[in-house]
Amino acid sequence: MKTSARLILPLLFGFVLLSLWEALVGFYEIPPYILPSPRDIGESLWVDGPSLLAALAITLQVTVAAMILACVTGVGIAVLLVQSKLLERMLFPYAVFLQVTPIVTIAPFIIIWVDSVFVVLLILAWMAAVFPIISNTLLGLKSADRNLHDLFKLYSASRSQTLRRLLIPAALPYFLGGLRISGGLALIGTVVAEMVAGTSGESSGLASRLLEASYRLELARALACFVLLSITGYGIYAVLNWVSNRLLRHWHESALDDPSHA
Amino acid sequence: MKTSARLILPLLFGFVLLSLWEALVGFYEIPPYILPSPRDIGESLWVDGPSLLAALAITLQVTVAAMILACVTGVGIAVLLVQSKLLERMLFPYAVFLQVTPIVTIAPFIIIWVDSVFVVLLILAWMAAVFPIISNTLLGLKSADRNLHDLFKLYSASRSQTLRRLLIPAALPYFLGGLRISGGLALIGTVVAEMVAGTSGESSGLASRLLEASYRLELARALACFVLLSITGYGIYAVLNWVSNRLLRHWHESALDDPSHA
Amino acid sequence: DSSFATDQITFGTDWRAQAEHGGFYQALALGFYDDAGIDVTIRQGGPQVNHSQLLAAGRLDFGMSPNSFLPINFAFQEIPVVAVAAMFQKDPAVLIAHASRGHQTLSNLKTEKIMISPETRIGFWRFLKVRYGFTDNQIAPYTFNVAPFLADATSVQQGYLTSEPFVIDEAGIEPSVFLLADSGYASYAAVIQTSQRMIDSNPDLVQRFVDASIRGWYSFLYTDPAPAYALIKRDNADMTDELLNYGHEMLRRYGLVDSGDAALNGIGIMTEARWRAFFDVMAEDNVYPADLDFTKAYTLRFIGKRVGMDAVLRGAD
Amino acid sequence: MLNLKGITKTFDSGTEALSATTFTLSDGEFVSLVGPSGCGKSTLLRIVAGLSQPSAGEIATSSEMEDLRIGFVFQEPTLMPWSTVFENVALPLQLVNGSPNTDDVDRITTVLQWVGLEEFQNAYPRELSGGMRMRASIARSLVLQPDLLLLDEPFAALDEFTRAQLNEDLLHLWEEQKWTAIFVTHSIREAAFLSNRVLVMSPRPGRVIADIAVPFKYPRQPSLRNDHAYTDFCASVSQRLATSLPGANQ
Amino acid sequence: MLNLKGITKTFDSGTEALSATTFTLSDGEFVSLVGPSGCGKSTLLRIVAGLSQPSAGEIATSSEMEDLRIGFVFQEPTLMPWSTVFENVALPLQLVNGSPNTDDVDRITTVLQWVGLEEFQNAYPRELSGGMRMRASIARSLVLQPDLLLLDEPFAALDEFTRAQLNEDLLHLWEEQKWTAIFVTHSIREAAFLSNRVLVMSPRPGRVIADIAVPFKYPRQPSLRNDHAYTDFCASVSQRLATSLPGANQ
Ligand SMILES: Nc1ncnc2c1ncn2[C@@H]1O[C@H](COP(=O)(O)OP(=O)(O)OP(=O)(O)O)[C@@H](O)[C@H]1O
Ligand SMILES: Nc1ncnc2c1ncn2[C@@H]1O[C@H](COP(=O)(O)OP(=O)(O)OP(=O)(O)O)[C@@H](O)[C@H]1O
Ligand SMILES: [Mg+2]
Ligand SMILES: [Mg+2]
C-alpha cells in the first residue's frame, strides 16, 4: 500500500462521515443546542483552540505522570502477584478494588489526606489506569513458554534472573497491550478527576473547560473538547503502538508484517 | 497446596489488614466521618445489606447486559479491524473516541435520543467496557502463529475459515484477558452511568445509594458500597478467570499448572 | 373544566430529591397537578446530571434552575428556553466556616482556603470575586462531601443552607453559615424554565403548571409537609425525616421562598429589577457581554397573580 | 509441471538464502533435495508453495497449476495447539470440503493408523512426543490427496524402523496416487531409496549444483537397501555433496 | 553418578510413558539411548534433569550431584525469540556468573564457531533455518562446561557432513572435558560411534530392555565408520531394537 493511500483514505473516510453529519444536521434543521454541526465544532476549535490546547496541556501533565506511575506500579504488582498463586489470591482482590471504585466517591477520602491537587488528580488517574496493566502483565508473565521455564530451572536461575530474562520479555507484548488500554483510561481518568476535584487556582485542565461549556450550553465547544480528547487519546495510542512495534519487531507475531502480505 | 490453605490464608490476610485498620482508627481516634472503622462498615453492611444488595442487583443487570454487548461488538469490531491495516487505520480512532469520552458529558447526548433509562445505562456502560475487548482481541488476532498462517494459506482457506479456525482460537487468551479488564469497567461504568442518568425511585441501583451516603457523611455506608462493589468486581473477575482456565487448559501456557510446580 | 385531556409532562429538578423540592412534591402528592389536568413526572437531578441540555433538546418539558445563571446562559446561547417563575427569592447557597474561627462577615473569608465545586466556580464564585474581591487561588476542590471540611479546622466550603450545615452539625462541629443572599447576591433559585415553543403553543399548560407548583409550595410551607416527604423519600431512598425537617425549617426561617417581593405578590414572583441587579454584577466580571439582552432570559407573564395566597394566609392564621 | 528459473531470495535481514536456483519438475516425479544446513532448502519449498515471494527469478507452472492441491510437511510440526490430533489432521478436509462426512472420518482414521497415532487421536499436541507431532503433521499432509507434496525433513525425528516403514508406505502411496513430490532430507540413503532424482544444493546462498537421476526402477523393494549398487550410488551422491562444502579441498 | 530405579511416569492424561525403568550411569560415561518414537526417551531425560517428577521410582545420585551442572539440548531448539543467537548462547554463563566477561565472550565465540554460527551471532531465532536453530541450542548447552550433558536428538536436523563433523568434535570435547552424557538418537550408527554403552528402550510404556557395551576403544577415528566390526555391531543393536517392536514377530 502506498504511503499516500495510508494517510489519505482514513482522512477521506473521516471527511465523508463529517459531511454526512453536516448534511443530516442541515436537512433536519437540528439546532446547534441539540447537536452542533461539524462546521460549528470546527469553528469552535478554531476560535477556542489555543485556549483549549493550553488546558489540554495541563491535563496531559497529569495523564502522562499517571501513566508512568501506573506502568511502574502495575508491573511491580503483577510481578509480585506472579510469585505465587497464594499471593495472587491474597492480593488480587485489592487490585480489583482500585478498578471498581468510582472516582466521584473516592475523591473526598483522598482529598482529606492529600493536600496538593496535582497529587490528588494523579492518584485518581492512576487508579483508573493501573488495573489493565496489572491484569495484562500478569497474564503475560504466566504465558511464558514452558520449555524456556525448564531451561531456566535447569541452570538454577534465581527468581530475579528468571524474571528479568524470561518472564518480563515474554510478558512484554501483553504488558504493551495493557498499556495501550491504560493510555486512554489515564486520560479519561484525569478528566473525570479534574471534574470532581480539579478546581484550584488558575491552572485548570480540559475538564473545567468541558464542564463550563456544557454548563453554559456551548455544545459546539463541548464537542470540540471531545474531539481534542479523542485526538489526544489516539495520539497516545499511536505512540504506544509505535513503541510496541519497535520493541517487538524482531520476534513477536503482532509486530511483524501483515501475514497476508508475507 | 491444600484447598484449605488456598481459602484460609487470603481470608486470614484480609482479617489481619482489617484488624490493623481497626487498631489505627482506635489509636489515633480518627472520627468515623473521616475514616470509618471496619466495625462500622461491617455494621452498616449488616443493617443496610439487604437493601444495598437489592440495589446492587439492579446495577448488575445492566453490568451483565453491557458485558455481553461489549463481548459481541468488541470481538466484531476487532475482527473487522484485522481485515486490513487500512481499515484499522480508518476506524480505530473512532474506537478510541468511545474510550476517552467522559460518560458525564456524553450522557445528555444519548439521553436526548434514547427513551429507556435501561438502554441509556446500557450504552454508557458498554462505552466504558468495550475498548479493552477491542484492543486486546485485535492484538490477539494479530498474534496468531505465522507458520499456521502459512498452513491456512496453503489450503486456500477463506477469510472466514481462517478467522474461525485460526485467528479466533489464537486470540482467545488475549480476548479473555481483555474481558477480565472489561468486567470491572462495565461495573464501574454502570455505576457512573446511574449517577449521570439521575435514576430515581425503587429501580435505582447502587450509585444513588453511594452518592447519598457520601453527601450525608454516612461514610460507613459509602464504604460498605465500595466493599460490595469490590466483592462483585472480584466475583466477575473470578468467574471470568475460571471460564478462561476451562477454555484454555488444554493448550495455553497461562492456564497450565504453575511452572514452578511442574 | 375537566373536559380537557390530561397533559403529560416531565419536570427535571436540579438535585437529588430534598426539601428544596418540597413544593413540587407536595403538589404532586396532594393532586394539585392532577387537578390542573397535568400528569407530572419528576426526574431528580444530581451532581453529574445535566438537565439543562435535556431541557434545551426538549427531552424535559420543564426544568428547574438552581440559580439565575442558567436562564441567562440560555439567552446568551440564543436557546429558546425561558424562566417562567422563581420559587425561591433567595438562593440557599452559603459559605460555611468553622465557628471556632470566629469569622463575622463574608469579607473575613477573603483570605481563607475555600472548597468550591467546578460548577460553582463559574457560578456564585463570580459574585464573590466582583463584590468581595475573592481570588481564584483561594479555591480548593469540593466534592459534595463535607469530610475534608471537618478534617481541616481552617477550611471554608460552599454549601446549601438546607443541608450541609445540618450534616456538619451532626458530625459535632459547629458551623458558621453565611447566606450569600443576605450579602447582596441577587440570584433567584428554584427557577422554573420551559421552552419558548411550549409557551407559544400551550401557554395555558405553562400557567397551570406554574400555578399548581405555587400552590404546592404554599401547602408545603404552611400545612403538613408529610405527603411531600413521602414522595421525596421514595425518589431518594437515603433521605431522612430529620434532614427534611431541618431543610423545611431553614426554608421558613430564612424566608427563602416567600420573603421580599413574594410576600407582596406571591410565591414565584420575579422582577426586571432583580434580574438586572444580578446581570450587572456578572457583566462587570465579563461573564456576559454588557450589551446582552438579559430580558430574553425570562418572562413575567405567568406570575404575580397571587395564586394560592389567600388560602394560605387563611390556613396560616 | 514446475519450472524454476533463476530464483533468488534475499531476506530483509540481508541474508541471501538462494541465488539463481534453477530446476524443472515433471508431473509425477519424486525429487529429493539435499544440501547442507542453512542452504535454503526450506526457503525454496516455501517459494514453490507460494508462501514466500522470490526476490528475483520466475516460476513457470503448467496451466492446471492454478487449482493445484499442495500438501506440505513443514520442518516444524505446525499443529494447532488448541485442537486434538484428530482435528488437526481433519483441518485440510474441512477447509476444502466444509464439515467432514463419514468418508472423511474414514480417511482421517486411515492416515492416523498409517502414522501410528490412532490411539492418540484425542490428545492435544502438547501431550505428544516430538516424533509423534511430526507424524501428525505428515498425516495431515496426506489426508487430502495432493497433486504436489512438499516434505521438509519429515522423518528426521523418527527412529530407523518407523522411518523405514514410512518410507516404504510413502512409496506405495506415491505409486498408487502419483502425486509429484519434493522431498527434503539429510539422509542420502533415504533420498536414493525414494526418488527419481536427487538435487544437490550448494551451501548458502543455495543453488542446485547437481541433478542426479537415480538409476533404480520402481517398485523398489526394502531389499534395495542392501544392494551394492545402491550403496555405491549413495556414496557418489555423498561425494558430490561433499565437494561443494567449504572444507572440501582439504 | 546416577542410579535410576524403577522409574515410572504416568501423565495426567493417563498416558503411561515410562514403566519401571532402571539403569545406572557412572562418572564420565557417554551413554546413548535409542528407542522407537514416543517410547519415553525425552521424558526420561527430563526426569534425570529434575524437570519432571517420576510417578514412582527413585533416582539416587552421588553426593556431589547437588551442585551438578547440567547441560541440556532439548528436542526442540527452545531459544528465547527476543534474543539474538549470541545472547541465547550467553544465557547459561550469565545465569551462573552474572554479566559475561571477556573470557566468557571468547568462550561464546568459540562454541559459535564450532557449530558454524559465528556469522549469525546477531540474528534472531526466527531468521535461522531449522538446523541452525538446533545448532544454537547445542552451542548453548556447551558454553558452560557441564558435568552432565543431556542431548535429545541434537543432530537430527543436520546434514550428514555437519553431523559427522559435530560427532567428532563432540567426542574430542568429551575426551578433553570428561563430562557424563546421555545422548538420545535415532541413528544407531551415531550411537555406536559416540558412546560407551547403548541403552535400548522398548516401545511405550518405555523401559530399558538392553544395555549394550560398545566394544570400540577411544579415541575413535572417523575411519571407524568404514570398519566392518562397527557395521556388524550396529546391525546387532538394530536387531535388538527391532525385536522389541510390535511388528517384530513378522
Ligand atoms: N525469515 C527469515 N529472515 C531472515 N533470514 C532467514 C529467514 N528464514 C531463513 N533465513 C535464512 O535463510 C537461509 C536459508 O534458510 P532455510 O531455512 O531455507 O535453510 P534450510 O536449507 O532449510 O536449512 P536446514 O536444513 O537447517 O533446515 C539461512 O541462512 C537462514 O538464516
Ligand atoms: N505433557 C505430556 N502430557 C501427556 N502425555 C505426554 C506428555 N509428554 C509426553 N507424553 C506422552 O509420553 C510418551 C513419551 O513421550 P516422549 O516425549 O518421552 O517420547 P520420546 O521417546 O521422546 O519420543 P520421540 O522420539 O518421538 O521424541 C508419549 O506417548 C507422549 O504422548
Ligand atoms: Mg530447513
Ligand atoms: Mg523425544
Side-chain angles (χ1 to χ4, degrees):
Chain A
M1 194 168 24
K2 292 205 208 92
T3 321
S4 54
R6 281 173 30 184
L7 274 175
I8 289 175
L9 277 172
L11 288 178
L12 202 73
F13 177 71
F15 183 76
V16 168
L17 273 190
L18 291 180
S19 308
L20 208 73
W21 176 355
E22 183 83 40
L24 282 177
V25 167
F27 184 77
Y28 290 105
E29 297 183 1
I30 301 176
Y33 52 85
I34 292 184
L35 189 66
S37 74
R39 194 192 308 246
D40 297 334
I41 298 171
E43 253 169 47
S44 167
L45 267 178
W46 181 250
V47 175
D48 303 317
S51 80
L52 291 182
L53 281 180
L56 181 63
I58 292 168
T59 301
L60 265 183
Q61 286 172 14
V62 180
T63 302
V64 170
M67 274 178 64
I68 293 170
L69 193 64
C71 267
V72 174
T73 53
V75 171
I77 292 171
V79 164
L80 185 70
L81 295 184
V82 87
Q83 298 304 316
S84 85
K85 267 250 169 293
L86 183 67
L87 218 55
E88 183 185 340
R89 208 170 280 114
M90 242 153 79
L91 298 179
F92 202 88
Y94 306 95
V96 174
F97 172 81
L98 289 179
Q99 196 196 19
V100 300
T101 305
I103 289 183
V104 179
T105 39
I106 194 75
F109 291 94
I110 292 167
I111 290 174
I112 290 176
W113 302 104
V114 178
D115 249 335
S116 150
V117 173
F118 180 84
V119 178
V120 170
L121 297 181
L122 183 62
I123 292 174
L124 293 173
W126 169 82
M127 281 181 69
V130 76
F131 187 81
I133 295 183
I134 299 176
S135 178
N136 257 22
T137 307
L138 188 59
L139 175 60
L141 291 171
K142 287 184 186 172
S143 299
D145 188 72
R146 290 299 133 144
N147 296 323
L148 285 174
H149 261 292
D150 285 343
L151 183 71
F152 276 72
K153 197 170 166 190
L154 195 71
Y155 290 112
S156 324
S158 67
R159 263 175 191 267
S160 98
Q161 285 175 329
T162 309
L163 187 68
R164 271 181 300 121
R165 301 294 312 267
L166 170 58
L167 298 187
I168 289 184
L172 199 59
Y174 290 82
F175 160 73
L176 290 165
L179 192 56
R180 269 171 287 174
I181 295 172
S182 284
L185 289 177
L187 181 62
I188 187 66
T190 311
V191 171
V192 172
E194 282 178 347
M195 288 183 178
V196 172
T199 17
S200 84
E202 281 100 57
S203 61
S204 57
L206 202 61
S208 69
R209 308 304 306 271
L210 190 54
L211 271 184
E212 188 178 292
S214 87
Y215 184 71
R216 297 178 58 151
L217 292 155
E218 293 165 336
L219 297 197
R221 202 194 304 168
L223 285 178
C225 291
F226 286 1
V227 170
L228 277 186
L229 273 178
S230 297
I231 292 174
T232 310
Y234 188 67
I236 294 175
Y237 189 93
V239 168
L240 293 176
N241 218 14
W242 181 84
V243 169
S244 188
N245 280 332
R246 299 248 19 155
L247 288 176
L248 302 180
R249 72 194 153 139
H250 282 304
W251 66 280
H252 197 256
E253 316 283 359
S254 68
L256 300 173
D257 290 334
D258 206 330
S260 44
H261 301 182
Chain B
M1 195 167 24
K2 293 206 207 88
T3 322
S4 54
R6 282 173 32 184
L7 273 175
I8 289 174
L9 277 172
L11 288 178
L12 202 72
F13 177 72
F15 183 76
V16 168
L17 272 191
L18 291 180
S19 308
L20 207 75
W21 176 356
E22 183 84 38
L24 282 178
V25 167
F27 185 77
Y28 289 105
E29 298 184 359
I30 302 177
Y33 56 78
I34 289 184
L35 189 65
S37 73
R39 195 191 308 248
D40 297 335
I41 298 171
E43 252 167 47
S44 167
L45 267 178
W46 181 250
V47 176
D48 302 317
S51 81
L52 290 182
L53 281 179
L56 180 64
I58 292 167
T59 300
L60 263 183
Q61 285 172 15
V62 179
T63 302
V64 171
M67 277 179 62
I68 293 170
L69 193 64
C71 265
V72 175
T73 52
V75 171
I77 292 170
V79 163
L80 184 70
L81 294 182
V82 86
Q83 298 304 317
S84 86
K85 268 252 169 290
L86 184 67
L87 217 55
E88 183 185 340
R89 209 170 278 115
M90 241 153 80
L91 299 180
F92 202 87
Y94 304 96
V96 173
F97 172 81
L98 288 180
Q99 195 196 18
V100 300
T101 303
I103 288 184
V104 179
T105 38
I106 195 74
F109 290 93
I110 292 165
I111 297 174
I112 289 173
W113 302 106
V114 178
D115 248 334
S116 150
V117 174
F118 181 83
V119 176
V120 170
L121 296 180
L122 184 62
I123 292 175
L124 293 173
W126 170 81
M127 280 180 70
V130 75
F131 186 82
I133 295 183
I134 298 176
S135 179
N136 257 21
T137 307
L138 189 59
L139 176 60
L141 292 171
K142 285 183 186 174
S143 298
D145 187 72
R146 289 300 131 143
N147 296 323
L148 285 175
H149 262 293
D150 285 343
L151 182 71
F152 276 73
K153 197 169 165 192
L154 194 73
Y155 290 112
S156 324
S158 66
R159 262 173 193 268
S160 99
Q161 285 174 328
T162 309
L163 188 67
R164 271 181 300 122
R165 300 295 310 267
L166 170 59
L167 299 187
I168 287 184
L172 198 60
Y174 291 82
F175 159 73
L176 290 166
L179 192 55
R180 269 171 287 173
I181 296 172
S182 285
L185 290 177
L187 180 62
I188 187 65
T190 310
V191 172
V192 173
E194 283 176 346
M195 291 181 181
V196 169
T199 49
S200 58
E202 282 102 56
S203 63
S204 66
L206 207 59
S208 69
R209 308 299 306 271
L210 189 54
L211 272 183
E212 198 61 32
S214 160
Y215 299 153
R216 305 284 313 288
L217 218 60
E218 288 167 351
L219 296 197
R221 200 195 298 168
L223 285 177
C225 291
F226 286 179
V227 170
L228 278 186
L229 275 177
S230 297
I231 292 175
T232 310
Y234 188 67
I236 294 175
Y237 188 93
V239 168
L240 293 175
N241 218 13
W242 181 83
V243 169
S244 189
N245 280 331
R246 299 248 19 155
L247 288 175
L248 301 180
R249 73 194 152 138
H250 282 306
W251 66 279
H252 197 257
E253 316 282 358
S254 68
L256 299 174
D257 290 334
D258 206 331
S260 44
H261 301 182
Chain C
D1 48 346
S2 56
S3 60
F4 55 65
T6 309
D7 293 296
Q8 303 238 351
I9 63 125
T10 308
F11 172 57
T13 66
D14 60 350
W15 201 255
R16 301 177 49 71
Q18 53 183 349
E20 283 95 327
H21 309 135
F24 302 110
Y25 280 103
Q26 186 86 346
L28 191 62
L30 297 184
F32 296 174
Y33 291 132
D34 288 341
D35 293 346
I38 321 173
D39 177 4
V40 176
T41 306
I42 298 182
R43 281 181 63 167
Q44 60 178 351
Q48 313 279 333
V49 182
N50 186 340
H51 272 167
S52 43
Q53 203 176 329
L54 300 186
L55 184 61
R59 280 296 286 179
L60 294 174
D61 302 294
F62 291 87
M64 173 178 171
S65 165
N67 51 45
S68 295
F69 284 100
L70 268 181
I72 299 185
N73 285 344
F74 280 111
F76 185 43
Q77 297 301 322
E78 296 176 350
I79 300 171
V81 169
V82 292
V84 294
M87 294 299 126
F88 289 9
Q89 294 301 312
K90 295 182 182 176
D91 188 330
V94 293
L95 288 184
I96 307 169
H98 287 256
S100 57
R101 300 275 292 170
H103 293 297
Q104 294 304 314
T105 66
L106 207 51
S107 39
N108 288 153
L109 305 179
K110 211 160 68 177
T111 53
E112 302 289 316
K113 183 182 91 175
I114 304 184
M115 296 189 250
I116 289 296
S117 77
E119 291 90 343
T120 306
R121 185 182 171 149
I122 47 180
F124 71 65
W125 184 252
R126 291 313 208 6
F127 163 79
L128 291 172
K129 282 170 74 177
V130 173
R131 270 302 173 80
Y132 292 91
F134 285 40
T135 53
D136 280 346
N137 47 29
Q138 283 179 264
I139 297 181
Y142 180 57
T143 55
F144 299 98
N145 178 305
V146 300
F149 170 83
L150 297 174
D152 177 0
T154 69
S155 60
V156 177
Q157 73 157 60
Q158 71 172 69
Y160 248 48
L161 179 64
T162 48
S163 159
E164 279 83 356
F166 175 79
V167 175
I168 291 168
D169 200 51
E170 271 208 326
I173 302 264
E174 194 191 336
S176 46
V177 176
F178 301 90
L179 185 65
L180 299 179
D182 289 345
S183 302
Y185 181 50
S187 175
Y188 288 118
V191 178
I192 299 176
Q193 297 173 285
T194 191
S195 64
Q196 188 63 47
R197 189 169 30 82
M198 174 76 85
I199 292 172
D200 294 341
S201 64
N202 204 345
D204 177 53
L205 172 59
V206 177
Q207 187 70 63
R208 281 183 279 137
F209 181 74
V210 168
D211 290 351
S213 299
I214 292 171
R215 284 198 178 88
W217 272 106
Y218 277 119
S219 168
F220 180 68
L221 287 178
Y222 298 110
T223 67
D224 179 16
Y229 286 3
L231 287 190
I232 289 173
K233 285 189 288 188
R234 189 198 61 192
D235 268 4
N236 184 352
D238 291 310
M239 189 48 75
T240 61
D241 283 332
E242 291 75 36
L243 183 57
L244 285 169
N245 277 327
Y246 178 83
H248 189 261
E249 156 86 19
M250 289 299 129
L251 290 176
R252 287 186 56 153
R253 186 192 302 165
Y254 285 82
L256 293 184
V257 181
D258 56 353
S259 61
D261 295 338
L264 293 174
N265 297 308
I267 292 178
I269 191 69
M270 306 185 292
T271 67
E272 182 172 340
R274 265 294 285 280
W275 279 106
R276 179 183 302 282
F278 176 80
F279 176 78
D280 284 348
V281 173
M282 294 309 147
E284 210 175 302
D285 193 29
N286 294 319
V287 178
Y288 304 112
D291 59 352
L292 176 68
D293 182 6
F294 66 90
T295 62
K296 286 206 170 131
Y298 57 88
T299 172
L300 304 178
R301 70 187 268 203
F302 299 103
I303 47 174
K305 308 191 171 3
R306 304 174 61 85
V307 172
M309 278 182 91
D310 311 333
V312 167
L313 295 179
R314 234 181 295 124
D317 285 340
Chain D
M1 89 182 323
L2 207 60
N3 214 325
L4 282 83
K5 228 192 292 183
I7 297 292
T8 297
K9 175 75 185 184
T10 308
F11 285 99
D12 291 346
S13 62
T15 308
E16 193 182 356
L18 293 172
S19 132
T21 305
T22 300
F23 72 89
T24 316
L25 193 67
S26 312
D27 258 7
E29 263 192 316
F30 197 127
V31 170
S32 288
L33 202 58
V34 299
S37 170
C39 75
K41 301 178 295 295
S42 301
T43 307
L44 190 60
L45 285 202
R46 288 173 48 81
I47 290 175
V48 167
L51 298 176
S52 179
Q53 296 306 317
S55 316
E58 269 182 17
I59 310 184
T61 53
S62 59
S63 60
E64 69 289 16
M65 178 78 181
E66 292 297 280
D67 45 358
L68 205 62
R69 262 189 200 168
I70 301 181
F72 201 147
V73 180
F74 295 101
Q75 193 168 2
E76 269 146 37
T78 315
L79 302 174
M80 299 180 291
W82 50 80
S83 297
T84 62
V85 169
F86 185 91
E87 290 161 354
N88 267 291
V89 172
L91 181 77
L93 282 170
Q94 289 171 348
L95 292 181
V96 172
N97 302 342
S99 61
N101 51 36
T102 39
D103 271 10
D104 290 344
V105 172
D106 285 353
R107 226 184 127 59
I108 296 165
T109 315
T110 309
V111 289
L112 281 176
Q113 261 161 8
W114 184 55
V115 297
L117 282 180
E118 66 277 27
E119 255 183 86
F120 283 88
Q121 60 175 29
N122 293 321
Y124 285 85
R126 71 161 46 246
E127 298 166 354
L128 301 183
S129 79
M132 289 158 84
R133 267 176 235 161
M134 211 54 217
R135 284 183 273 155
S137 171
I138 295 167
R140 181 180 59 196
S141 76
L142 287 166
V143 73
L144 270 185
Q145 214 162 298
D147 301 313
L148 174 62
L149 189 59
L150 306 173
L151 302 120
D152 199 348
E153 306 186 28
F155 304 135
L158 300 180
D159 59 287
E160 287 190 355
F161 292 93
T162 317
R163 189 168 187 157
Q165 188 60 51
L166 286 179
N167 275 347
E168 285 150 36
D169 292 350
L170 192 70
L171 264 190
H172 286 148
L173 218 61
W174 175 68
E175 279 159 14
E176 208 179 288
Q177 304 184 350
K178 278 295 169 200
W179 20 260
T180 312
I182 307 182
F183 185 91
V184 173
T185 181
H186 285 311
S187 163
I188 289 165
R189 298 172 60 84
E190 191 174 65
F193 184 75
L194 290 173
S195 50
N196 298 111
R197 274 156 68 204
V198 179
L199 302 180
V200 180
M201 285 183 75
S202 71
R204 178 173 35 82
R207 217 157 32 84
V208 175
I209 51 165
D211 186 338
I212 307 172
V214 180
F216 310 109
K217 271 209 290 290
Y218 296 97
R220 294 183 184 157
Q221 301 305 329
S223 58
L224 178 62
R225 293 208 182 87
N226 304 322
D227 198 316
H228 274 294
Y230 171 75
T231 316
D232 292 348
F233 176 75
C234 292
S236 77
V237 175
S238 205
Q239 191 55 37
R240 186 68 195 82
L241 180 53
T243 53
S244 81
L245 295 179
N249 25 8
Q250 63 180 176
Chain E
M1 87 182 323
L2 207 63
N3 213 326
L4 283 81
K5 226 193 293 184
I7 298 291
T8 298
K9 176 75 185 184
T10 308
F11 286 98
D12 290 347
S13 62
T15 308
E16 193 182 358
L18 292 173
S19 131
T21 305
T22 301
F23 72 90
T24 316
L25 193 66
S26 313
D27 257 8
E29 262 193 317
F30 198 126
V31 171
S32 289
L33 202 59
V34 300
S37 169
C39 75
K41 302 179 295 294
S42 302
T43 306
L44 190 60
L45 285 202
R46 287 172 50 80
I47 289 175
V48 167
L51 297 176
S52 180
Q53 297 306 318
S55 315
E58 270 181 15
I59 310 184
T61 55
S62 59
S63 61
E64 70 287 18
M65 179 77 181
E66 292 298 279
D67 46 357
L68 205 63
R69 263 189 200 167
I70 301 180
F72 201 146
V73 181
F74 296 101
Q75 194 168 5
E76 269 147 36
T78 315
L79 302 174
M80 299 180 292
W82 50 81
S83 298
T84 62
V85 169
F86 185 91
E87 291 161 353
N88 266 292
V89 173
L91 180 77
L93 282 171
Q94 290 171 348
L95 292 183
V96 173
N97 302 342
S99 61
N101 53 36
T102 38
D103 272 11
D104 290 345
V105 171
D106 285 353
R107 224 183 130 59
I108 296 164
T109 315
T110 309
V111 289
L112 281 176
Q113 261 162 8
W114 184 55
V115 298
L117 282 180
E118 67 277 26
E119 256 183 87
F120 283 89
Q121 60 175 28
N122 294 320
Y124 285 85
R126 70 162 46 247
E127 297 166 355
L128 301 183
S129 78
M132 290 159 83
R133 265 176 236 162
M134 212 53 218
R135 283 184 274 156
S137 172
I138 296 166
R140 181 179 58 195
S141 76
L142 289 166
V143 73
L144 270 186
Q145 216 163 297
D147 302 312
L148 174 61
L149 189 59
L150 306 172
L151 301 120
D152 200 349
E153 306 187 28
F155 304 135
L158 300 179
D159 58 286
E160 287 188 357
F161 292 93
T162 315
R163 188 168 187 159
Q165 188 60 52
L166 286 179
N167 276 347
E168 285 151 34
D169 293 349
L170 192 68
L171 267 190
H172 286 147
L173 217 62
W174 175 69
E175 279 159 14
E176 209 178 288
Q177 307 184 346
K178 278 298 168 200
W179 19 262
T180 312
I182 307 180
F183 185 91
V184 173
T185 180
H186 286 311
S187 163
I188 289 165
R189 298 173 60 85
E190 191 173 63
F193 184 74
L194 290 175
S195 49
N196 298 111
R197 273 156 69 204
V198 178
L199 302 180
V200 181
M201 286 182 76
S202 70
R204 176 172 38 79
R207 215 156 33 84
V208 176
I209 49 166
D211 184 339
I212 307 171
V214 181
F216 309 110
K217 274 210 288 291
Y218 295 97
R220 293 182 185 158
Q221 301 305 329
S223 59
L224 179 63
R225 293 208 181 87
N226 305 321
D227 199 316
H228 274 295
Y230 172 76
T231 316
D232 292 347
F233 177 75
C234 293
S236 77
V237 176
S238 205
Q239 190 55 36
R240 185 67 195 83
L241 181 53
T243 53
S244 81
L245 293 180
N249 27 5
Q250 67 178 174

